[in-house]
Every structure is written in structure tokens, then in C-alpha cells.
């Protein structure tokens, strides 16, 4: 249920078509429909304009499928649905249990994302650009890209433009300046957001990745690099959190 | 020199009033006027729309005064000037060396910020709200507030609304929802951005502070808390970086 | 053997039914009955009023079953028995080796706890309330819940009330104020205990969990957040230590 | 204003002596009397039964004196007042600015605590025992002791009983068993709470201290030791947080 | 080749039975007999009086068997042979490849140690006592025990005497005072060496173990606790390094 | 009071010259003579054969002088007295307050040690050798040297033999082999104990120092290096703990 | 395409045999031939004189084979090809997909390196010497050795010369002094580069390895040791980065 | 005494002008002339071709002056002398105590370096280029610059070219390609070496600096960034170690 749905519901109330007490009941009911193992928070869309999202990791395929089913059951909702940190088994379970959206559901193995695209409406005002440094940063970058799109944004990507080959990045400088928000995904020394941030005048959301070995400490080196960025339009989200970066970017892109 | 100045210069070129070669010379000259110890980057305003900023810490009062003088020398520029991490001695030096702006220059001892307000133009589209958790977070919050204002934003603050007294924050819920960007400053467990992020639908820039003792590890506890925020509209900047948070917020507020 | 058992034994001595020397012998014998790989400490119940507890992790199913058997052999003891960090194989081994309690033994797969409930006596004075933030904190919360019950407490739970949806927690505010001790289980930023602590006047035992990824560092972010809680009725136990939290809560609840 | 005060106020309402609207006004007014730099939270006493407390560190002597004055202005309140992390200058300022309590105000230089004892009422049910390991742990232990007493508890101490001279601790075993709550203060390896916890059946609040050098890492060694305590009645507060330990202990002692 | 062997060789030289040049050749040859993947250092026994030791972890069963074979080939050597961090496959390979010592070779699955006892000579002057805290510390303690014995020491053990049940340790106080060197193995808070160190006047070698979870950080908590021990006869070796502790203890016991 | 004193006391008892109850009373009295701020533990000498030691850091000059006075008051004791981490003011106070030992008291400014040498008896069996790597390690090395001597050992030193100039160390190889115990003091990479350990067959006590900058992290680099030493006769004490190293060395040297 | 190839291409241009526009096209085309998942950077050889290198870890065998195929397709290039962090499956896939180089391709299981040696030209001026400390450091050392050779250097190795047996290293001192650059691979305390650095006058590239356990923290101990080396001709690369060390060494060896 | 001096000495021996035994005596004498607190290692110049260097930090002005005097006393030596981490007082002491070089001695307050330039001979083959990112990195960069020059290298610098203003660095690209070795000094995110490394084909020595605040952790962020550099011609030295970087660069520049 998003803001649009809420307004429709309130209009029904205003028009006398829905008695207030039933409106209250439905509102109260919706956000806490209890699945036993988790409360699906349908209010979140209302509060933050997001797609419906399930964090797959740590859940069984059956749990994931059940949560998706509950999301689909909500009347009037046409939000896109996203399962992050998913795998092929979860995808199979989702398709089995939700025959109605079988054709809409897609699995993106690189990033482990399942998308169920029920709406193609673009609600973001400008373009979100996802830039990543190395081959091994692509899964996180793709998670960001798919999330941004599912949330109603035009989103493009530019992969494999690490700072040690600065000319590759500079070739795309013009493209960069057309974005309204940039998501910058990098592991190792995490220097990309500083360079990108210096080239543009829009906010840059930096996502450290856990790629690398030894003194990369699972992404800590990149995280610290980004927090200490000398470019002042850079903010940071958690390591590997492509989803979170896209949420913030989408949130900014609706302003 | 900001975007406005650049356009005027280019118009002069277009009108034939300024030969291209001199335009080039001036553009080239401006950003690298050399002060011996640091290159004042006048281009930054152009690229990112910022006020002119000096990071005071580690510089002598004389160096600070000299850099400010150089900024004031730039013709056509009417940018506000900000010195962060400054002290009373720097302020005295700045006033001594720059008699022309003596009355504009103000020192804010709580946050150690010097402001020289040459322009009151509001260029940000909405309001930036600075929220802080405890008394000892106020210096960082004030740095953010003054920076946001110097960069042409309407900015308000709400201090001392820690999560252990959640009713105090909730009383101001309506105010929060009127902001276009929120800056959230907190030390200790750094939980405020998560709660605030859950109450609003706009981006929340979280600033951890180095307040606290023992296992706060100079702000690391708050930093980690914010990076792991369960609210998905939260991004993070470096510990005590009120200035940086305001830069990003201002950058978003111009979109 | 708990305090009750000891008093009965001493009454026998007082009444002449048990010669002191044999009483001594039995007391001495009980706590150190040697199983080869571990000394089951039957004295602990006496000293601290706890159920008999086995920490399953790192032991073979056979070792676990053998320890349980030894606990059951103790005459006069009617303590509940708890195996934490157990799995289905351990459960099978326990049932095989201890036919007498086959029907009492239960396995709780979510938390990996085996319970053998031999007593339903309630010895705790008030109610222990277990609150947890996210779906993935439930296993630790359940370990706490089952432990608290096995130790003779009335214990209830409230799951999935993270601080980014503060209204969900506030809806249950009244329930919270009825507890005598609260156990608060949270991963990620670990902010829940601060908010809960601010709402109640009773002790809050905070349990950080190792959920999350990246900069959660296996629960360290939550742990630090809790140690720096701005609510002054919060104390902390080790990461994922639902069992320990329930021990302390039970200990407080008997005062 | 504590619970007692609130009940009296509500009785006045019940008896018709205080119109509800004025009761509301007073309640609303009290907790947010604004001092400019910090909101003194008079509600906290009501919610948690604490003394009025000021955290002195980072405040000027004048700020501390002003906050104390505001606390004293509250009509009907007879709470004890405590300033922690204070120094001699703060003490002088408090006495200067609050002539009425000059004789009640005391400074404890070892722990840097200022106490203003306005009430000697004992509201805690049992005794709180403060045990500390080495000479250099005494300041933190004293902070805990004074806080516990100011909050209406009988509180005793036992200093300098480190685990390397275990006989000294064992000599006092009987005393320990008479406590209702024990606060255990230790630096270095932080082993004292484990040993004490094994000797008693009541809750042990462990406070790591920042004493030691080298690999003590400012109290981290002791903190980790306590979090990993093999005694299951031990919980932990932040490094050097004697005040917090006493708050929790007092909170438990009122149950 | 140990000191004894060397003296015999030199006696042969003195007696004219071995020409110096051949003595030199043999000495030179022995320590560097090259196995392709590692140089077996036969000199080590000579320099430090140790048994022949292979660190199994990271080697293939075939490599381990080959190294053992090379050790056995050395004429005149009667040193005991020890393979640490071994597994059943390595043991099988050792036995297959070294038929001559099939009956001497033993595998100790708890600690993963293979022993080949070729000499029962006791060269240590007193007794080495291995004390450990919890059940899960036993593997490391056993590695220490077997190593100490293989190096010609009388060595006894005392398991499961954690500090939270201090009476169990105190019951064995007399035994402890009979040791010439004590090895103290403990995980979690690592407090045992401090208590033991306070009870005896001999050196205590502390071995932290990686048992525990959460804030034990793989043995770091115990390591720091031991480094900060308040008992001044305690020194520390690496986490889980039961072998190293026994080497030092043996080295001390020969003085 | 050391073992010698105790035996004399017990002989008096045996001879009938001292009634047991008075012996008990004296024994009980001695170790806990209360100075108000610390219990001087006279038993420690008895238990561990140490000199009387005061840890100066964090104490006032008056406290130090008072503790020394109490030590001197003990009849029959002729132990050497040591104050570590002291300064010139403490030394002056000690001399003022203890006129009787004015001439025996010496201050060693390099290491900040005060010695009061009342006995020159050598009780250690062999020689303790203190080896240090760089100029800045000398203070810690001197603390170890003075402590070892005060405890009745012959102790020599060899300074400034870092591993990057290995020939300097090798020149002294013969000297090293004459020691019964070696104390190895090093900062930076902490490699010296490994090299020394490989050259000798006696125990090596490694002391990391906090010298260095940047990634030395106050001695952590050296500490880790020593804990991971590839020489198996090396054990480690806390950073800068020259005193502790000498205690252990002395303890070993009495075996 | 290396510098040689580029010069030939430019000569063609100079001679009129290649129209500039086509030269540009070819140059532009080469470095960005897109494989879908990664941009193979053929420019790198030109810029840095390296062999063509694929980092195998995290790629599928098919991806590796495809990248190698693309490298082989480049006309005129005769660079050696290297796949690091590879396994047997990748090797099989590379051979299947690139029949033309089947006989040139070799797999080195110890270090997981695949080499395709297309050129034996020696371009480095002197010898690169790879020295390693323990058996378990050999894989990293071999990666360095193979990389150095593939890049056109004469490279030799010296394995198993740890600092605890310093005589083994000293025996090879003369060899060491013949090297032009030394790569020093060591885990545990990482002391080898300091000792080697003190023996020679050429640059020493130190590579910490992740061998060891406990407080080696996956190579951090060695890394810190090397960063704090007291030898001033030592620089450091990331943990286990034998490849990187060889790149730098090769880069130096071409000067 | 450098290699040149040694050859002259040996020539004297060859010519019969210096009896071998006296040559030996002089060689032996020189490197260990004892100053009481430190052994000045005159051999180092011989082994590594360095200037004579004193690390000033932690030494008294008198000690520094004395060491310099001893260096000047060495006959035949014409090495430049360098005191790093010095201050004005040390400089005054050096001039007072060494009147003969009063005019040669210079103090560089920015970097705290004292130079005594006795030789202007250029022995390095190419140019060393020192590049730094921000104003606050200049002290470390200057230390590197002065050290490189004192060691006989042509050395130039390029300051204030951070990666967030990438155009400033690119403007100097040609200059960079003329260097034979590059020293790259940067704090904050430490990204400069990666970008520079990608632009050139020569070795880049990266020096992290301790500038920055919060999550820069005293240079750790920059250090990790550099260790994880995606440019493969980058190696790293300790935080703030401008001196060490210049030593390595000089060492390479002599090859």
C-alpha cells in the first residue's frame, strides 16, 4: 500500500463509501498481517515510497515464497516486489507458490535478486547512475541497479572504471554529469567515489564492497576510504549494501 | 566564483566584450592563485555550488587569515566564507587582516566556526533540519547548521532529543516531516538516525560524534550503529563531520 | 540438586535419618561425578538456582546424551534440563539414551534448544519479557525465552519491533511496563534497548546478535551500541548469549 | 519530581484541589524548562526513580552550577542531586550559585563526584555491595558507591580484592552473600566478576575500568573478559561507568 | 640428533675413530637433508633439546609421512616424534609409510596429535602441571600435555577448574604447589592463570584458547586477559598454542 | 616478610616461644595493614619471593611515600623495595618521609624506577640477560634490569642490537649462551626474540615496547610479532612490562 | 600490446603504411574489447610493461577461459599470460577453449598459477630473488617467482630460511647480495625482511602471508611487523600478494 | 664511512700504507664508538649508501647534539647528516655543540628536519618525484624530499593534488612520467597512489599520513587504502614515514 492507495482509501471515506471505522480497521490490519515468523510491514511503502522488499538471506525458500504471497494478497497494491540476497531455490519456491506472477518473476543470478515487476511507472525525477570499479564489484552494483529500477527510477550503469585506469572513467565524464544521483560501488581502496565526487555536483552514494583479500578486511579498507573521502558530496552506506544505496538514491530522486 | 559568475564571464565572451584568450587566462588563473602553502580551489564553488571553505585545524592563525584574504580578493565573487575547526585566535587574525569584512565576520565558539556572510540568497529548495541527540553533540550539530545556512539553505535545528526519551522526539514529529533533508547528529549508540529515518520519507544524513567514553571508542560505536541502521533512507559521513553532512544536504537540497 | 533438595537433605540429618558423614559423602560426591570429558556441576543449581544446562556446541551427540543421563541419575533432583546450541542429531541421541524422559524432551529447531521439562513450578516473582528487533534475532530471543521458562519464570515475548518502525513498539508500551525484567535482543545498530529502557523503570538486559553483514562485524556494532546506551537501566551480555541474558533475568526475578 | 510527587499531584486532582488543565500544564512545563544549552529532564526521576544527575565532563563550571540551580528550583522535589565527572572548580561554582545548599553539597575528589544530599530515605530493599580489584579501580568504585547511596540504597564497599590474591576475597565471602546486588569493578584482566559471580546467587553488575597499560587498551581487555565471563549471573556496563552500574543496581534493588 | 648424540660424535673424533672432515660433513649434511618441500631441521634438537616435531596443518598426509620417514632415517637419533594439528588420514599415512614404528605410533583424536614414543627417558627436573578451565579447552591442554611428555617431562593434568567455581580449583591447591612449571589453558575471559599464579610461586605459562563465541573474538578476549594478568609470574603464548607452551615449560624444566 | 621470615616465625612457635594464637594474629595482621587507600600485601613476598614493589603511576607522591613507610615498618623484613613508573617528585617524597633509608634510596630517571636496596643477597641460580633492540627500548630494559637485581639475581644487559644489523647481535652470541634466562625487549616489528630464541636453549621472555609510530599502534605490532614468534622458547608479557618480565625471569631463575 | 608493439604501429604511421585515423581506431578498439563481464585492459601492458594477467578467484572456469581467449586474439601481441588464484578446473577450461596454446599452458598447483609462456625474452636488467621463511609461505613465494619470470626477469628463490634459525639465512648471504631486487615472503612475526634488509643494499619488497593461527590474525601480525621494519630499504604490499610484489620488483628491475 | 671510503682504506692496505691489523682495528672501532646511550652505526652508510641519520623524537637536545658530534668526528666521512623529527631546541643544541658546521646546518620547521649538507654529489641516476594530496600532508612530503636530496638524489615535488580535483593532477601528467621513482604522500582515503600508479610505469612508494580525524584512525584508513591499491606498481611504508619512503626511493634510484 503506497501513498496513492492511501489517498484512494481516504477518498472513499470522504465520499461516504467507506465508514471510518472500517477504514481504521483496514489500516490497522494491513501492516501487521502476521505470517508467524515475520510481520510484513506494508506501511513502509506508505512512509517511504519503496517497493515491497524481502531480505532473503537466512530465510528458507518456503518462508520467502510465503512472504511474497502475502504481499501479493494485498488488494489495491501494485508495488514492485524485490527479494534480495536470494538464490535459485528461493526463486523456484516463489514461482511455485505464486502462480499468478510466474511470468513477471525474474531471477538475476549475478546479484541474487528476484524481481516481480508489476508496475513500470517512473516516479523518480532524474536518472540514477551506478558506477563500479572492478569486475568483482558488479554483483553489488547490479543489486543497486535493480533496486533503483524497481522503485520507479530510470537507472543506468557504468562498470569496470577503476581509478588505476583513470582515462576510462574520464571518457564517460559527460554521462556522469547527466545523472541526478550517483551510486558508486568499489572495493579494495574505495577511491572511486572521491574521484567521481570531484567530477560532478550531485550527491554520490558510496557503497564499499567486500571484495579483495588480506588487508581489505572484508571491505573495511574501502569503507574507511569512503568515510574519509576528500570529496564533500559523498555519503556512505554499509559494506555490500547495494540495496540500501538504491533506497537512498531513490528517496533523493523523488525530492 | 560560482556557476552564476561563470555564465556572466561566458556571456561577456559571447558579446565580444572579452577576448576568448583572456577568458581562458582568467579561468586558468583563478583556481590556482598560489599562497605558498595551499592552492585555494576557486573552481570548487563552480563545480559544486559550495561556499568558500577553509579547514582551520592544523593551520596557523596567519595562514587562515591569508587564505581568507585571497578569497576576498577574487573579483565578482560574493560567496559566503566559512572557516571550520577554528578558534578565537584565528578569528582575531582574520579580522585584523581583512578589515573590509570586520563587521560581517562572526565567531561561533561552541562549534569553532567563523562565518563571513556576504550573501543571504536562498538557493536551496526546501528546509534542512538538524537533529541532535545529547548536549555534547551540539558543537557538531551547530557546525552542520552554520554550514548549511552559509551554502544558501533555510536550516533549522532540534537539539537534545535522544532515543532514551523517545517522547521528546515524537512531540516534534510534524516538524520533522516538513524537512526536505534531515541531518542527524548523535554519539554514544548512534540510534537516533534509525528512529528519525523511520518517521520520515526524506533522506537522512547521519553524523556520528566522538562524544562518550570507554567503549564509544571516539565515535566508532555510533559510526557502526549508523552504518547498520535498519532504516533504509540513512547514509553516513565521517565522525564529527558536521561540515560534510551539510555539504551533502545542501547538494541534495539544490536538486 | 537445588536449594529445596539441600534443605530436605539437611532435615533428614536433623531428624537423625541421615548420619552426617553420609550427608557429607553425598554432597561431596554429587558435584563431581566424573564423566571422563567433563565434570557436571550439580552444585551450580544449589549456588545459583539454575536449571541443569548443557552447552551443546562442540560436543558429540553421544557426549550430550551421556551428560543428560548423568543429570537424570541424580536422585531427588527435579530440575528442568536444557541443552543449548543443540541440533536434531543431539536430540535423537538424547531421546535414545534416556528413554524415561522421551515424552518430556522437546527440540526447538529455531533456537537449537532441547528442553526436558520436569517441573512447572514458578519460582520467579514477576514476568520476564523478551523483546526482539528483527526476524533474524528470533533464534536468540527464543533461546532466552525457553531458558527463562525452564528456570521457573513466567516469560512472554514481543518480536519484530525494530526502532525504524517505532510505532510498533509504542503500541505495546503498556505490556512492557508490566514486566519485572526485560530482555532486549537486537542486531544491526542495537538501538532497541535504549528506546525500551527509556520507556520502562525496570532493568533491561541487552543481547546483541550477530545478524547483519559488513560493518556489523558479527554483532560488534550492536554490542558497542548497547554498551553506550543512553538509557541508564541497560546492562549487556555477550553477542548471541540469549541463555546468559535469561540466567541474569531469572536471577533478578527471584530477588 | 519522583513517583511520590506525581501521586500527590494526582491526588490533588482527584480531590478537586487542582484543575486537570493546570495539572497538565505543570507536568508539561516541568520536564522541559529550557536552560539554553540542555533540557533538564525532570521526568526521568518519575520514569526511573533516579536522583537528579548531571554529567559534568565537557561542561563549564557555570553550566553545571546553572543546571543544579534549575534542579533546586523545582518545587516539591526532594531528590538527591549528583554531579559526576566533576572537579573542584565545578564544585566551587555550584556552591557559589546555590547558597541554599552550601552545607549539603560535598565534593569527593577521588571519584570527582559532587553530592547534594537532600533526602536520606532508603527506598532500595536490600544492600548493594561494591567490590573492586585494585587501587586504581577505586575512583570508579566510589562513583558507583556514591550513586547507589544517592539513589536511596544501603551500599557498602570492599576494595582491593584482586583475583591474584584469591584468599583476600574468600575471607569476605560471607559478606558478599548478604548483598542483594553486587557491583564488581575491575581493570586489567577483568576476572573479578567471574570469581564473585561463582560465589553468590545474586546479580553481579561488572564495570571494566580503563586502568592498566599496553594491551589493556584503555579497558578493552577487562570489558572483553567480563562479556565472556563463565559465571552466568554477570552483566556488563561500559568502561568506567560506575554511575551506570549503580543505576542498574538501584533499579534492581527496588524490585 | 640431540646434545647426547653430538657429544658421542665428538668423542669419536677425539678418539680418532672419526676424521674431523667427515664429522663436519655429517654435521653439515644432517640439518638440511632436503625433502623438496621443507628442510627438516635436525639441528633444532641440538640447539633446544626438543623432540622432533611436525606441524601437520596445511600439509598433505603424504608430506607428513615423508617428513616422519626422514626423521626416522637419521642414524643415532632416538628422539620422540610428534605431529601436531594432525588428523586420522595423516596418521594412516604415517603408519603406512613407516612400518618400523607402526606399534609406537599413536593418534590422539581429541587434540589431533600423533606421537611416536622412541624414548621414555625423563630429562626434566620436576613436574609440569597442565590446568584447564572448561571442557572445550581440553584439546589444547592435551596438546600441551602430550608435547611435554614427548620432551622428557613428567606431566600431569587437572581439567575443568574454571574460576566461576573457584572451590574446585582450591581443592587441588596442594597439587598445584608441587609443580615446577604450570601450563594454564583457558578461553572465554582467560582468568584462570591469574588465580593460579596467585596460588603458586613457580612460572605459569598461559595459553588462551579460541573457544567461546561473540565477543571472545576467537580467543582475543582470553589473550588480552592473560597479558593483563595481575599475577606477576604469568607469561603468555599464542592462542591455541598448547605445543609452544609445552616447549617453554620443558625448556624451563631442564634448567 | 619472605619465606625465611615465615620459617623463623614458625620455629618460634615450634620452640614454644610464640603461642600459636599470637602467630596467627601476626600472620593475619601483617598482610592487611590498612593504609586507607590500598592494602599492602606483605604476603606476596612469602608466596612468590619477590621484592616489595609499588606501582607508582596514578599515585600521588605522598601515597607512594606512605606505602614505602609501611613496608619499612615491617619488622624482620629485609626485602629490597622498588617503586616502578615513578618520577622525581615521588623520589623526593619517599626520601623526606623515610629518613632512615635516605642513603639507600636511588632514583633511575631513564626508567623511572626508585630502588631501596636493603639486601645484596643473590638468590637466583644463574644469570639473567636483558637484551634490547633500539635506543628507545632502553627505559623498559632498564626497568627489567633493576627489577631483576632487586629480586636477588645477577643480571647483565646488552643494548641496541636490532635485527637489521644482525652482526652486532651475533658478535655477542657467546654471552647470550651463558644466561639462564633471557629478557628480550623490542618495539617496532618485535623480531629480536625470534632471532635470540633461535640462538639459545634457555627461556626467552619477550617484552614488546610502545616505541615507534604509525602502524606500531603503541606496541601492538611488536606484541603480535612476539606472540607469533617462530622460536618455540619464547613467551610474552604485556607491552612495556619490563617489571613483569623480570618477575617471571626471577621466578624461573630460582627453580 | 606492449611498448614494442606500439612503436611498430607508430613506425607504420610514420612510414605512411598506416593512415593515422586507422591507427587511432585500432588503439581505441584494443583496450576495450568488451567480454560482457569485464573489460580486458590491453593498455596496461603498454603503460606498465606487464604480462597479461587474469585474477582467477571469484570467476568461473568459463569466464577465465574466455578472457584468455580474448587475450590470445590480439594480433601482434606476444606477451606471456598469467592466471593467478586459479585451480585445476580453470586450467582444464583454459586448455579446452584455447587449443592453440595447449602445450604452452602449465598449471602450478602449489601456488594456483596458470602460465602460458609465449615469450622467453629477458627484459629485466638484474636478478630478482624470492626469499621465504616457512614451508607454508611457499605458495605465495611461488606466485611471486612465476610472475617475475613471466614478466621477463631472471628470478631465483631461497625457501625456508626463517629467522629462528638465522644461520641458514646467513649461509646464503652472498647469494642475496647478487640480487638487484629481493622479494621477502613471511608469515607469523614477519621478521625476515628486517634481517634480509640489513644484509643487503638493494630494495626489499616484503609480502606478509596469512599463515599462522590465533594472534597472527590472518597475516596482520606479519603485515604490521613489516610496516614497522627497522631496516630502511623495506616496503610492503598486501597480505598474500605475491603477484603484486613481483610486479613492483619487475618494474624496479627494468629501471 | 661509505663504500668510497672503504675502497680507499682497502687501497691503502693493498699499497702497503696501512697494515691489515690496523685496518681491521679501524673498521671494528668505527661502527661501535659508544656514546653511552646509543651505538652510532657508521657501517650503515657502507652497507646501504645512506646519509648519516638521527631519529630525533624521544631524544634530548643534548643527546642529538652529541650524536651529531660523533658523526662529524669520523675522519674521511663527507656524508650529509640528517636529523628527523627534530625541533628548534635540538637545532640550537646541534649548532652550539658543533661550531664547525654552524653554517651548513639548517632547520626546516615544517617537517622538523635538520640538515647538514656536506656533499652535493648526485649519486642517484634519475629524478625522484614527491607528490602529495593535501596541505596537511606537506610536512611528511617535505621530510621525504629533504631525505632524498641528502642522499644524493635530484628530487622535485608537486603538492596539493588530491584526487577529488583530478584535473590538477592530470595537468602535471607529463612531469610525472619523467620521474624514475615516485613518492606519493596522502592521508584521508589514501587514493592518490592508485591514480598516480595508473599514470606511470615506474615504482610508486606510497606514504600514508596521520592527517584527518574520526574514521581516519590516525592514518589507518589511508594505509589500508594503499595496501589495497588496484595499481600494481605501488608499495607501502609506515604511516608518516616520509624518511623511509625516501630511503627506499634512493635505494631504487641507485640501481
Amino acid at each position: 500500500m503506497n501513498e496513492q492507495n492511501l489517498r484512494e482509501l481516504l477518498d472513499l471515506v470522504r465520499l461516504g463509501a467507506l465508514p471510518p471505522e472500517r477504514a481504521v480497521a483496514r489500516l490497522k490490519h494491513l501492516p501487521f498481517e502476521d505470517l508467524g515468523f515475520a510481520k510484513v510491514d506494508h506501511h513502509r511503502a506508505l512512509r517511504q515510497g519503496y517497493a515491497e522488499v524481502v531480505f532473503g538471506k537466512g530465510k528458507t525458500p518456503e518462508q520467502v515464497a510465503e512472504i511474497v504471497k502475502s504481499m501479493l494478497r494485498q488488494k489495491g497494491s501494485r508495488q514492485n516486489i524485490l527479494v534480495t540476497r536470494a538464490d535459485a531455490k528461493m526463486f523456484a519456491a516463489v514461482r511455485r507458490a505464486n502462480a499468478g506472477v510466474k511470468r513477471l518473476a525474474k531471477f538475476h543470478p549475478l546479484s541474487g535478486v528476484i524481481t516481480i515487476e508489476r508496475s513500470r511507472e517512473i516516479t523518480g525525477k532524474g536518472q540514477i547512475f551506478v558506477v563500479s570499479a572492478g569486475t568483482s564489484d558488479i554483483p553489488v552494483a547490479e543489486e543497486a541497479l535493480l533496486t533503483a529500477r524497481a522503485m520507479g527510477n530510470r537507472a543506468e550503469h557504468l562498470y569496470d572504471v577503476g581509478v588505476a585506469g583513470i582515462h576510462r572513467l574520464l571518457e564517460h565524464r559527460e554521462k556522469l554529469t547527466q545523472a541526478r544521483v550517483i551510486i558508486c560501488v568499489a572495493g579494495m581502496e574505495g577511491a572511486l567515489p572521491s574521484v567521481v565526487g570531484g567530477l560532478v555536483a550531485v550527491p554520490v552514494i558510496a557503497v564499499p564492497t567486500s571484495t579483495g583479500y588480506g588487508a581489505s578486511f572484508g571491505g573495511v579498507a574501502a569503507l574507511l576510504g569512503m568515510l574519509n573521502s576528500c570529496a564533500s558530496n559523498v555519503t556512505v552506506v554499509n559494506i555490500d549494501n547495494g540495496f540500501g544505496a538504491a533506497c537512498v538514491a531513490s528517496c533523493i530522486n523523488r525530492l
Side-chain angles (χ1 to χ4, degrees), chain A:
Chain A
M1 173 170 262
N2 60 13
E3 214 165 342
Q4 178 70 16
N5 302 142
L6 182 62
R7 273 200 226 97
E8 290 167 11
L9 184 147
L10 294 178
D11 281 346
L12 291 180
V13 173
R14 191 178 49 88
L15 296 171
L18 184 74
E21 59 273 27
R22 286 189 47 209
V24 167
R26 195 185 304 174
L27 275 171
K28 258 199 171 149
H29 174 64
L30 288 180
F32 294 116
E33 178 190 9
D34 203 322
L35 298 182
F37 42 83
K39 293 179 177 165
V40 178
D41 189 357
H42 301 291
H43 264 339
R44 189 168 290 190
L46 178 127
R47 287 200 324 275
Q48 305 185 327
Y50 288 160
E52 311 266 12
V53 183
V54 186
F55 184 72
K57 194 180 155 197
K59 299 203 174 69
T60 65
E62 289 67 36
Q63 288 176 320
V64 170
E66 207 54 40
I67 297 177
V68 169
K69 190 184 268 177
S70 145
M71 287 168 166
L72 292 169
R73 252 199 317 261
Q74 296 305 316
K75 270 184 208 141
S77 167
R78 280 286 165 268
Q79 299 268 127
N80 292 323
I81 292 174
L82 211 68
V83 187
T84 62
R85 314 276 166 114
D87 55 29
K89 285 185 183 169
M90 290 179 190
F91 181 55
V94 163
R95 279 166 50 104
R96 255 196 319 276
N98 300 282
V101 294
K102 226 173 184 171
R103 295 170 63 175
L104 293 175
K106 269 180 203 154
F107 182 53
H108 307 259
L110 210 51
S111 52
V113 168
I114 299 170
T115 50
I116 303 179
E117 196 188 52
R118 299 193 287 176
S119 154
R120 300 202 167 182
E121 195 187 355
I122 294 295
T123 53
K125 295 187 182 163
Q127 195 188 53
I128 294 173
F129 217 82
V130 181
V131 188
S132 72
T135 309
S136 44
D137 301 322
I138 293 180
V140 176
E142 197 189 79
E143 183 184 288
L145 188 71
L146 293 169
T147 303
R149 285 178 180 160
M151 288 178 177
N153 300 281
R154 275 176 296 115
E156 294 304 322
H157 61 95
L158 179 59
Y159 291 167
D160 222 19
V161 288
V163 299
I166 199 76
H167 61 287
R168 290 193 282 181
L169 179 63
L170 294 178
E171 281 176 21
H172 296 281
R173 188 171 168 172
E174 206 172 314
K175 259 192 199 173
L176 288 175
T177 57
Q178 290 165 358
R180 196 158 186 255
V181 193
I182 292 177
I183 293 170
C184 222
V185 181
M188 305 189 78
E189 75 270 68
L192 189 58
S194 296
V195 178
V196 170
L199 296 175
V200 300
V202 297
V204 174
I205 317 292
V207 193
T209 64
S210 57
T211 61
Y213 54 91
S216 85
F217 298 128
V220 169
L223 171 64
L224 295 184
M226 291 168 176
L227 286 169
N228 286 284
S229 175
C230 50
S232 55
N233 47 349
V234 172
T235 51
V236 187
V237 297
N238 195 3
I239 297 165
D240 288 339
N241 193 5
F243 167 72
C247 288
V248 177
S250 176
C251 173
I252 293 173
N253 197 29
R254 286 157 174 266
L255 291 180

